[in-house]
Amino acid sequence: MLFDSHAHLNNDMPQEDRAAMIKKVEEAIEAGLLDYVMDVGFDLESSKLAADHAAAFSWCYAAAGCHPHDTKDMDDMQLALIKGLARKDKVMAIGEIGLDFHYDHSPRDVQREWFRKQIRLANELKMPIVIHSREADQEVMDILKEEGAFSEERKSWFAKRPDTAGYVSADGECPDARVLLHCFSGSAELGRQYVKLGATLSIAGPVTYKNNRKTVAVVSEIPLDFLLVETDSPYLTPEPFRGKKNAPPLVEYTAAKVAEIKGLSLEEVAAATKANAMRFYGIRG
Ligand code: NI
């Protein structure tokens, strides 16, 4: 029923914790709650592990890339190895890549350099891009534009997407640049700008947090055609489990909040966001 469009089964954690998380996913699939999980890389090792998970589990797909936090350890050899992983079966996107000026775990110039190089890689391979952006909104958008992530050429590689509300274009469908703003935390205005450029927004657990009016406004304003749901497990646990470890089945609580905001049923939001995620990542059902 649900597609968790962004999780980290590949995180650095004890083997028994990983096994427990995978077991929770399999139980939720058995129960008909969850269908797919996208395991997203953040450095070379985690990208390898995500690709291994995708090869091992029918419900798992992978993204390969280096997170801004980890760019301080990047080099051209690792980029070549990430490129090799990206070509594997069931590795569907380059990500997560971007800028994080909140933690500054890597120098900003280094973050910028590898963000650009990995957008170029995604363009070379004609693959979707998964973006991490924190306290760097303007620069992330500028770099995406400068590197051609929203170019007409890039949009021509991908099928158009539904636009049932005529939000971008009056004819019922609009261009898709296959650029995903993961755990979107910007304003409704920024969300609108991104969607019009051809991007997709992914909503995570923080939408369930008390007083998060900003993300509630995003969900209320942006049509469901342009939204995905995710957990970012093991981080960002939704209410009412905030403070505990997150796992992909809890994507239900984020989807339920989206449904409440939009006045739809959980089933409707699950079906639409799953279809959106499959189209975004290029997965055939
Ligand atoms: Ni993540």
Side-chain angles (χ1 to χ4, degrees):
M1 184 170 97
L2 283 153
F3 193 136
D4 181 357
S5 73
H6 188 116
H8 301 288
L9 305 175
N10 55 355
N11 237 28
D12 195 13
M13 60 177 118
Q15 217 33 43
E16 59 265 33
D17 289 7
R18 193 184 324 281
M21 205 196 268
I22 289 170
K23 187 160 176 266
K24 279 183 191 166
V25 171
E26 294 195 318
E27 285 167 358
I29 288 170
E30 193 72 18
L33 176 72
L34 195 62
D35 288 327
Y36 296 106
V37 177
M38 179 59 60
D39 198 7
V40 180
F42 48 88
D43 62 5
L44 177 59
E45 278 312 304
S46 61
S47 298
K48 265 188 206 157
L49 194 49
D52 289 348
H53 288 153
F57 305 114
S58 59
W59 45 263
C60 187
Y61 287 84
C66 183
H67 189 288
H69 286 347
D70 298 284
T71 49
K72 60 184 180 300
D73 302 317
M74 267 300 270
D75 55 38
D76 287 324
M77 172 65 96
Q78 293 190 60
L79 185 68
L81 293 169
I82 284 175
K83 181 176 176 179
L85 289 171
R87 287 191 159 128
K88 284 191 163 189
D89 198 30
K90 294 185 78 189
V91 179
M92 310 309 285
I94 297 298
E96 55 187 294
I97 65 173
L99 300 176
D100 192 315
F101 294 167
H102 178 75
Y103 288 108
D104 283 321
H105 284 337
S106 292
R108 292 184 179 184
D109 270 342
V110 175
Q111 294 189 38
R112 292 179 183 110
E113 176 193 351
W114 290 102
F115 184 30
R116 287 183 186 275
K117 284 186 171 170
Q118 292 182 95
I119 299 168
R120 287 173 206 160
L121 175 64
N123 284 340
E124 183 189 338
L125 300 178
K126 301 188 176 177
M127 287 176 79
I129 304 173
V130 179
I131 301 293
H132 172 102
S133 172
R134 187 136 185 220
E135 291 178 23
D137 283 344
Q138 193 56 51
E139 239 192 281
V140 165
M141 187 182 269
D142 290 346
I143 289 177
L144 283 167
K145 285 180 180 169
E146 286 166 21
E147 295 297 338
F150 300 118
S151 67
E152 292 312 312
E153 188 195 357
R154 185 174 161 89
K155 286 187 258 190
S156 75
W157 303 333
F158 305 115
K160 286 195 164 194
R161 54 183 173 171
D163 182 10
T164 48
Y167 192 73
V168 178
S169 132
D171 59 10
E173 54 176 25
C174 68
D176 190 352
R178 300 266 174 105
V179 172
L180 181 65
L181 278 296
H182 129 71
C183 186
F184 186 71
S185 58
S187 65
E189 173 52 29
L190 185 68
R192 188 162 39 233
Q193 288 177 28
Y194 266 124
V195 162
K196 294 197 167 169
L197 284 167
T200 301
L201 313 180
S202 180
I203 304 298
V207 74
T208 66
Y209 299 170
K210 238 188 191 164
N211 302 323
N212 187 352
R213 292 197 191 90
K214 203 166 155 190
T215 308
V216 168
V218 169
V219 172
S220 126
E221 163 105 12
I222 305 293
L224 198 53
D225 290 334
F226 308 109
L227 302 180
L228 308 187
V229 288
E230 65 167 286
T231 59
D232 202 18
S233 299
Y235 314 109
L236 301 179
T237 310
E239 292 290 3
F241 302 103
R242 200 174 175 184
K244 296 191 177 136
K245 224 179 270 172
N246 204 357
L250 298 186
V251 74
E252 177 187 0
Y253 293 85
T254 296
K257 182 70 183 181
V258 170
E260 179 199 315
I261 296 165
K262 290 210 167 285
L264 297 169
S265 69
L266 173 63
E267 289 72 18
E268 286 169 313
V269 168
T273 53
K274 177 184 158 187
N276 295 348
M278 294 185 76
R279 188 177 51 252
F280 179 82
Y281 287 119
I283 296 168
R284 284 162 214 260

